[in-house]
Amino acid sequence: MAMMVADAIVIGLGAMGSAAALQLARRGAKVIGIDRFSPPHEHGSSHGETRITREAIGEGECYVPLVKRAHEIWREIEAETGEELLVQCGGLVLSGACSSHPKKAGFLDQTVAAAQRYNVPHEVLSADEVGTRFPQFVLEGDERAYFEPGAGFVYPERCIAAQLRLAAQAGASLRTGEIVTAISSSGSGVRVETDRGVYEAGRAILSAGAWNPGLAGSPLGHLSIYRQVLNWFEAEDPAQYTPGRFPVFIWMHGSEGDQSYGFPIPPGTEGLKVATETYERTLGSPDEIDRTVASAETAFTYDKHVRSRLRGVTERCLKSKTCLYTLAPDSRFVIDAHPENDRLTIVSACSGHGFKHSAAIGEAVAEHTLEGRSRLDLSPFRVPELGGAA
């Protein structure tokens, strides 16, 4: 097999990898991008038509600069390509008085605090105010809500496709349908072997999502992979659920840690997308995922999160899909040098909320790869066992 040599290799071309490949190529680097599939695709974590984005991040204030910069980059790509990537239709975080979610403790208050610190325009609303503004929600009356008018959603497949197209135009060599079998140190930096070739580069970025733990080894042994389900339900009057009338939402309700999130119906699509997060069973590898969504799973989501909570949304499910979460115990990202090879940068886990930040992370990782530093602070995302910076 022929050897190909580059300045940087990007392994995995989804949310993070497509962004990194573009930013590296635009900085003049000779880039090879490798993906086992043909992105955008439905095998990983970066699909499903829409992904929520919001500037005030309840998961931690360290994420706010990332999403702010990501919004700027997507607007720049929109101007360059004519594609619509980011829709700012507003976003609600709703929490009932008795709601208690193990992974979202204090989430609403932390979101408000992040908005206040970073001057993100927002409102704190009562249940009555939410009901007046968005009558599609059926509320119990004890809810509090955070509303961010600049929140909304991005189109993940469009974002990935646009970034890969621009990366190729900037000179990146994109190798799809190619499986990485080994990553090792070499005299020049990093050696990557696949089922179709061998590549060497001064630096490499491992951004393969749920496949990262298997490729990185013990430094990512603390990560878990979970199967998640997305459902699109029929709306009796879709006009009531368009982006101009309905926001994205994250809703914590009940005393059993119930949470759902959802989206308006974008033009040219059908169905109100509503999903939950489940952590009952981990996957040993991403290849173990069952892609079939059982009717009982869909019925449970509808009965628990839709039937009595969203007006005019029927139990008819127009389609369902699965996706993967790669989760750290503290739900933080991992963006750091591999402990055994400081020329290999690990970019994972997204922990279920990575896409909104991905354009900025790709830029920051590209800057660090080529210049040894980045304008955005990546130090909160170190590998726990290492404690060193990316």
Side-chain angles (χ1 to χ4, degrees), residues 163-177:
Q163 289 176 123
L164 291 179
R165 186 167 62 251
L166 293 174
Q169 291 172 4
S173 174
L174 305 180
R175 313 276 297 183
T176 59

Side-chain angles (χ1 to χ4, degrees), residues 42-47 51 209-211 225-228 283 285-289 291 322-326 350 352:
E42 297 187 350
H43 301 286
S45 308
S46 301
H47 58 282
R51 282 288 183 272
W211 285 265
I225 303 168
Y226 296 92
R227 172 184 178 270
Q228 307 294 343
L283 301 176
S285 81
D287 299 313
E288 292 180 5
I289 187 171
R291 297 285 178 187
T322 60
C323 73
L324 294 166
Y325 274 16
T326 309
C350 288

Side-chain angles (χ1 to χ4, degrees), residues 191-360:
R191 177 185 177 95
V192 177
E193 299 176 41
T194 77
D195 58 350
R196 290 166 52 187
V198 179
Y199 308 89
E200 287 195 358
R203 298 290 295 261
I205 296 166
L206 179 57
S207 53
W211 285 265
N212 265 13
L215 291 169
S218 59
L220 296 186
H222 64 296
L223 303 184
S224 300
I225 303 168
Y226 296 92
R227 172 184 178 270
Q228 307 294 343
V229 174
L230 315 171
N231 292 294
W232 284 258
F233 294 101
E234 177 188 58
E236 293 174 351
D237 181 4
Q240 297 301 313
Y241 284 96
T242 59
R245 294 187 176 185
F246 189 70
V248 300
F249 68 88
I250 300 170
W251 194 346
M252 290 155 284
H253 56 85
S255 59
E256 300 177 357
D258 295 321
Q259 179 203 334
S260 63
Y261 65 94
F263 301 79
I265 305 172
T269 67
E270 289 186 315
L272 186 76
K273 179 181 169 185
V274 179
T276 63
E277 296 176 343
T278 58
Y279 304 101
E280 295 177 358
R281 187 176 73 88
T282 61
L283 301 176
S285 81
D287 299 313
E288 292 180 5
I289 187 171
D290 181 0
R291 297 285 178 187
T292 302
V293 178
S295 58
E297 293 179 279
T298 298
F300 178 84
T301 297
Y302 183 80
D303 291 340
K304 191 81 169 178
H305 302 285
V306 180
R307 183 185 297 276
S308 62
R309 299 186 179 277
L310 294 167
R311 288 188 173 88
V313 180
T314 79
E315 63 185 339
R316 183 184 174 214
C317 185
L318 302 178
K319 61 183 175 183
S320 299
K321 295 183 183 296
T322 60
C323 73
L324 294 166
Y325 274 16
T326 309
L327 197 74
D330 60 1
S331 295
R332 282 188 177 253
F333 299 166
V334 176
I335 307 172
D336 204 349
H338 194 289
E340 298 167 5
N341 184 353
D342 62 5
R343 291 180 172 270
L344 174 63
T345 299
I346 300 167
V347 185
S348 184
C350 288
S351 293
H353 68 111
F355 202 99
K356 68 179 72 64
H357 311 287
S358 59

